[in-house]
Amino acid sequence: MRILLNLSDNARNAAGDMGSVTLSLTLASDKSDGVKPMIGRHPTLPLVILTVTDTGPGIPEAMLGQIWEQGFST
């Protein structure tokens, strides 16, 4: 839950006052491009892809290497 709150909060901040944020869930199969099943995943539960998009300006290329650092923000 905390991950979802952080992603949506970051997207809202990036989009600004006049921007928009979209969250979507898509069912995926084990054969979907780029989807790798998690170790220990329950074999009968479906995989889902969570996508968070916003209309913000994006992250400057020079900062992309920092996006996984705890507390990093643009």
Side-chain angles (χ1 to χ4, degrees):
M1 184 64 164
R2 184 71 181 165
I3 291 171
L4 185 56
L5 289 173
N6 286 347
L7 283 170
S8 57
D9 190 45
N10 289 345
R12 180 184 50 83
N13 290 338
D17 293 337
M18 299 302 290
S20 66
V21 176
T22 304
L23 284 78
S24 64
L25 284 176
T26 307
L27 284 175
S29 71
D30 290 341
K31 296 177 182 173
S32 295
D33 289 339
V35 175
K36 296 186 173 37
M38 295 176 2
I39 296 172
R41 174 182 158 260
H42 193 281
T44 61
L45 295 177
L47 291 171
V48 294
I49 299 170
L50 168 65
T51 305
V52 180
T53 57
D54 63 65
T55 57
I59 300 170
E61 192 168 339
M63 294 181 165
L64 286 177
Q66 299 171 276
I67 63 172
W68 301 113
E69 294 176 14
Q70 185 173 356
F72 171 75
S73 178
T74 58

